[in-house]
Amino acid sequence: MSPALLLPVGLAALLALVIPVVIHIARRTESRTIDFAALRWLDAAPKPRRSLMIDERLLLAARLLLLALTALWLATPVLRNAADTRPIVAVAPGTDAATVAAATAKGDHVVWLAPGFPEHGALAPAASDDIVSLVRQLDAELPAAAPVKVVVPATLENVDAERPKLSRRVEWTVGAEASSRRTASSAPPSLTVRYAPEVQGAVRYFRAAARAWTPANTEPAFDAASIDRAVPGNTRQLVWLAPGPVPEPVEAWVRDGGVILTVLEARIPVEGETVPVWRGTAGEPLAVAGRLSRGRVIRLTRVLEPAAIPQLVEPDFPDALQIMLDPRPAPARVAAVDHAPLSGAAPYEQPPLDLRPWLGLLIAMIFAAERWFATRRTRAVAP
C-alpha cells in the first residue's frame, strides 16, 4: 500500500494556516484590571513592555489542524494497492455442496458467482443466465495479486461461442452433473426444389444432400417439382433452379419470412448489401445472402455445375447447404470442463482507495472540538 495525492494543488490551501495565527495574536483575550493600593512604590513613567503571546493555544491548535485537514481533503488523498488480496472462491449457483466444500479452505473469501457477488453464507441466489460474463467481471474487479478459484456445475448454459480470456490463471473446478438431461432429437430438415426443364439435372445434388440429412431407412423430406407447381405453404427453405425473374407469389412468400436459394441466372430483389455465406477452397465466395423484408435470399455466384462449383460433389456439401439455408446458432450449452478460461489478457488497473470519507469524518470531529473550545464558559482570561 502506498499513499498518494490525486490533486496535489489542493495543498495550496495550507496558506490559510496563517489566518488563525494572526487572529490569535491581534485579538487577545480581554484583560481584567486589578486595583492595587501601593501605587506610590511604582515608577511614575514606566516603560511599557510588550511580548508576543498567544492565548488559548488548544483552540488555535484545533483551528490549525482543521485547516490542514481541509487542505489535505482538497488534495484528494488515496491509498494505492489497498485492495483485498485474499484468495477468492466464486461458486456458481447450482454447484453440488460436496464440490464446494472440497474447493474451499480456511481463510478463503467465498462468494456467489451472481450479480453483486454476495457472500456465500447468504441465501443462494438464482442461477445466472451468463456465468461467463460474471467471471470476466470478477477478473476485472479483483487486484492482480488475488488468487481466484471458480467452482461451476458440470454443464454451463447460455455461454459464448468462445472460451473467455482473463488477465490471470483461474483454478477452474467442475462439479458433478446435477441432473441428466436429454435433448430431444430434431426432425430432419425438409427441402423444397422448383426447377426449370433445362436445369433438371442439378436436382440430384440437392436430393443427395436431403438423403445425407436423413437417418438410414427413412425417406428424406424432399419435394422436387417443376416451376409451374405452387410452393406448399409449410415450406421453410426453397431452392429455385430456374433463370429469369422469380414469380411474384414466390417473392411474396420470401418477403413473409421464407428462405430461398437461387441459381446465378435467377432474378429477385435484395435489400441492402449481401455477404458471402459459402466459400471455396481458395476463399472465393460461392454464394451470397441478403435480406428481403422478413426473408432471406441466397444467390449462387457461379453456374450450378461441378465444373464451376466442384464442392457440389464433395462430401461436405450437405453440411454447407444446411448452414446456408438454416444458419446454426452459437453454442449455448457446453460442458464446463471444455470451457475453462484462458489466461493472457491485459490486467485491469484497479482504482485506488479514496481516503476522503474517513478524512471527512475526522474533520467533523475536529470541528466539533474547535466549537467546544471556542464556546465554553470557562475560557482562559489574560491577567
Side-chain angles (χ1 to χ4, degrees):
M1 294 185 294
S2 57
L5 298 177
L6 297 184
L7 192 63
V9 71
L11 295 179
L14 291 175
L15 297 175
L17 292 176
V18 180
I19 299 176
V21 176
V22 173
I23 293 176
H24 274 251
I25 293 176
R27 185 184 178 185
R28 298 180 56 190
T29 305
E30 294 181 1
S31 58
R32 183 173 57 188
T33 303
I34 300 177
D35 295 333
F36 187 67
L39 295 178
R40 61 178 180 173
W41 306 107
L42 298 179
D43 191 354
K47 296 181 179 179
R49 180 181 298 175
R50 294 185 179 182
S51 61
L52 184 62
M53 296 184 63
I54 298 179
D55 297 334
E56 301 185 272
R57 297 182 179 180
L58 287 178
L59 177 59
L60 176 60
R63 288 173 175 173
L64 292 176
L65 182 58
L66 184 62
L67 288 176
L69 292 177
T70 303
L72 184 60
W73 188 91
L74 293 175
T76 314
V78 295
L79 199 60
R80 301 189 185 276
N81 303 322
D84 189 0
T85 57
R86 288 182 299 168
I88 298 291
V89 179
V91 180
T95 309
D96 61 292
T99 303
V100 176
T104 55
K106 187 177 181 180
D108 290 344
H109 184 200
V110 186
V111 298
W112 286 110
L113 197 58
F117 304 110
E119 296 290 333
H120 186 261
L123 185 65
S128 175
D129 292 335
D130 199 349
I131 290 293
V132 176
S133 293
L134 288 171
V135 172
R136 292 193 182 101
Q137 179 183 349
L138 184 68
D139 177 58
E141 293 181 358
L142 292 178
V148 177
K149 180 185 295 184
V150 179
V151 185
V152 295
T155 302
L156 299 180
E157 304 282 351
N158 301 320
V159 299
D160 301 335
E162 185 178 356
R163 291 169 62 185
K165 191 173 184 180
L166 308 180
S167 64
R168 75 195 74 213
R169 290 185 61 87
V170 171
E171 187 175 344
W172 188 256
T173 303
V174 179
E177 185 68 66
S179 61
S180 59
R181 290 190 256 180
R182 294 182 180 178
T183 305
S185 59
S186 59
S190 60
L191 188 61
T192 302
V193 179
R194 292 295 180 263
Y195 58 87
E198 63 271 22
V199 198
Q200 184 176 359
V203 176
R204 65 180 184 273
Y205 305 121
F206 300 96
R207 181 179 286 108
R211 288 190 180 277
W213 299 340
T214 309
N217 301 323
T218 305
E219 284 297 321
F222 185 74
D223 174 22
S226 59
I227 57 176
D228 55 359
R229 184 181 296 184
V231 177
N234 61 348
T235 300
R236 293 182 299 172
Q237 293 96 14
L238 172 65
V239 178
W240 188 261
L241 305 180
V246 175
E248 291 185 3
V250 177
E251 181 179 329
W253 171 82
V254 176
R255 292 182 181 274
D256 196 37
V259 179
I260 187 173
L261 170 64
T262 71
V263 293
L264 175 62
E265 300 84 358
R267 296 199 301 272
I268 184 172
V270 177
E271 299 172 354
E273 297 182 356
T274 58
V275 295
V277 292
W278 188 26
R279 295 182 180 272
T281 55
E284 71 279 11
L286 302 179
V288 295
R291 304 298 305 181
L292 179 59
S293 188
R294 293 188 299 164
R296 292 177 65 236
V297 175
I298 306 170
R299 179 182 290 115
L300 297 175
T301 60
R302 299 185 179 189
V303 179
L304 188 60
E305 57 185 28
I309 307 178
Q311 288 77 9
L312 290 173
V313 293
E314 292 183 357
D316 59 350
F317 172 66
D319 293 335
L321 178 62
Q322 185 174 4
I323 293 174
M324 280 191 291
L325 296 176
D326 189 12
R328 299 171 184 174
R333 187 171 186 263
V334 299
V337 68
D338 298 328
H339 212 66
L342 304 171
S343 60
Y348 298 90
E349 183 177 355
Q350 299 298 318
L353 177 63
D354 191 356
L355 298 180
R356 287 182 299 176
W358 303 100
L359 198 57
L361 179 62
L362 182 59
I363 289 174
M365 296 173 60
I366 299 299
F367 179 75
E370 186 273 340
R371 287 292 83 200
W372 183 81
F373 285 132
T375 58
R376 71 188 191 280
R377 294 183 178 179
T378 57
R379 292 182 62 179
V381 178

